[in-house]
Amino acid sequence: MAAVLEWTGDDEEPVPASFPSPQHRVRGRRTPARPGELPPDIEAALWRGNELGSPVTAVLSSGFAGLDAELPGAGWPCHSLTEVLQAQPTVAEWRLLAPAMRLVVARGGNIVVVGPPKSPHLPGLKHAGLDERHLVWIQAEAPAERLWVTEQLVKTNAAGLLVSWLPQARQEQIRRLQVCAQACDGPVFLCRPAAAEHEPSAAPLRVQLRFGLDWELHVHVLKRKGPTHEGDITLSSVPGGLESIITPRLLKPSHIIAARQARDGQPHVVGSPAPRQAPVRRVTAH
């Protein structure tokens, strides 16, 4: 005769003796979760829109504490695209990315740049702490060439950090690159014009970059995994070749311009010729 075990829950159905073992017996039903409550493992993996990104994604520090604080995961994302938008190319992106490049080179990785509008300035890169032996420069002229080379590099995971200038990339092309970048261990940066701000993009992270009068960089996060970013992040970024020789007075050009405006009594636009002084007429007494 088969033995019968008593079920201690709310149901009255008997449980057969072939139940696995005593330690597996269910002593009553689990109390249902409160509305909105999730199991701990699911709660840990859940991301909410008002939170700043997910720490699961691998990141590379930007080298700027203020910027890392505003980036999901506290750094440039790997396995993903990042768009850097600015009004004029090759003006500030090297200064923004140089600290991250140093980290890659220190680990033995290579920096690959595709289609920069201007030739990389090797002495300046040395002052920034970059070894030219770890720099691969691919000069692709046509937009289709730059796009093809970028895609092949991303697919083959051939760079510790990749920077590509793609001003004419279309929405579907960026989406394709983003899909490919998910298998790329290093961060991938696409440098694009500021006008692309109003175009849709599959890149999970987009930043707008401007430079200031006092050698600083202004970064505004246009798109990120998290709440909307308000205002600009100001980053101190004096070029490496000038930092050790520049005078304290020239560290603040804005103060010089303001003093000139106060002296001349009229505003002065940066980049325009200085206001001409009225000629001094000498009068000789007879």
Side-chain angles (χ1 to χ4, degrees), residues 177 187 238 267:
L177 288 177
V238 180

Side-chain angles (χ1 to χ4, degrees), residues 141-201:
E141 299 293 342
E145 293 177 350
R146 289 196 296 267
L147 182 64
W148 183 85
V149 170
T150 302
E151 183 174 333
Q152 301 310 308
L153 291 170
V154 171
K155 284 182 176 179
T156 56
N157 195 18
L161 186 149
L162 174 63
V163 186
S164 181
W165 282 260
L166 297 176
Q168 299 171 327
R170 299 193 302 271
Q171 178 182 354
E172 64 274 12
Q173 295 169 338
I174 296 177
R175 184 184 303 112
R176 180 182 176 88
L177 288 177
Q178 169 59 21
V179 173
C180 297
Q182 295 177 12
C184 188
D185 294 334
V188 179
F189 297 92
L190 304 183
C191 297
R192 307 193 62 215
E197 171 188 355
H198 306 289
E199 301 176 4
S201 173

Side-chain angles (χ1 to χ4, degrees), residues 3 61 91 111 115 127 207 234:
S61 174
V91 171
I111 308 299
H127 281 293
V207 299
T234 301

Side-chain angles (χ1 to χ4, degrees), residues 5 7 15-26:
L5 298 178
W7 182 257
V15 180
S18 57
F19 196 80
S21 61
Q23 60 266 29
H24 291 106
R25 296 175 190 169
V26 179

Side-chain angles (χ1 to χ4, degrees), residues 8-204:
T8 58
D10 298 331
D11 296 338
E12 299 298 334
E13 296 182 1
V15 180
S18 57
F19 196 80
S21 61
Q23 60 266 29
H24 291 106
R25 296 175 190 169
V26 179
R27 299 293 182 181
R29 292 180 177 176
R30 181 186 176 190
T31 304
R34 296 190 298 272
E37 182 181 358
L38 297 173
D41 52 344
I42 298 179
E43 182 73 25
L46 184 66
W47 172 75
R48 293 178 171 84
N50 62 348
E51 299 174 349
L52 188 58
S54 170
V56 176
T57 305
V59 299
L60 177 68
S61 174
S62 69
F64 299 99
L67 180 57
D68 283 348
E70 298 294 341
L71 297 179
W76 300 120
C78 302
H79 312 289
S80 181
L81 294 183
T82 297
E83 282 192 60
V84 179
L85 312 182
Q86 58 179 335
Q88 184 178 353
T90 67
V91 171
E93 61 266 53
W94 287 102
R95 288 159 58 186
L96 176 67
L97 302 179
M101 290 180 177
R102 283 197 298 270
L103 293 177
V104 173
V105 171
R107 300 173 184 175
N110 290 326
I111 308 299
V112 181
V113 296
V114 179
K118 297 180 181 179
S119 301
H121 187 244
L122 293 182
L125 295 178
K126 287 184 178 180
H127 281 293
L130 304 179
D131 187 348
E132 69 273 11
R133 293 174 296 180
H134 291 270
L135 176 66
V136 180
W137 169 24
I138 302 176
Q139 185 58 37
E141 299 293 342
E145 293 177 350
R146 289 196 296 267
L147 182 64
W148 183 85
V149 170
T150 302
E151 183 174 333
Q152 301 310 308
L153 291 170
V154 171
K155 284 182 176 179
T156 56
N157 195 18
L161 186 149
L162 174 63
V163 186
S164 181
W165 282 260
L166 297 176
Q168 299 171 327
R170 299 193 302 271
Q171 178 182 354
E172 64 274 12
Q173 295 169 338
I174 296 177
R175 184 184 303 112
R176 180 182 176 88
L177 288 177
Q178 169 59 21
V179 173
C180 297
Q182 295 177 12
C184 188
D185 294 334
V188 179
F189 297 92
L190 304 183
C191 297
R192 307 193 62 215
E197 171 188 355
H198 306 289
E199 301 176 4
S201 173

Side-chain angles (χ1 to χ4, degrees), residues 202-223:
L205 179 62
R206 308 180 80 196
V207 299
Q208 189 177 60
L209 177 62
R210 296 181 295 104
F211 66 95
L213 290 177
D214 297 331
W215 309 101
E216 78 276 16
L217 301 176
H218 299 286
V219 180
H220 174 64
V221 182
L222 295 171
K223 178 184 177 183

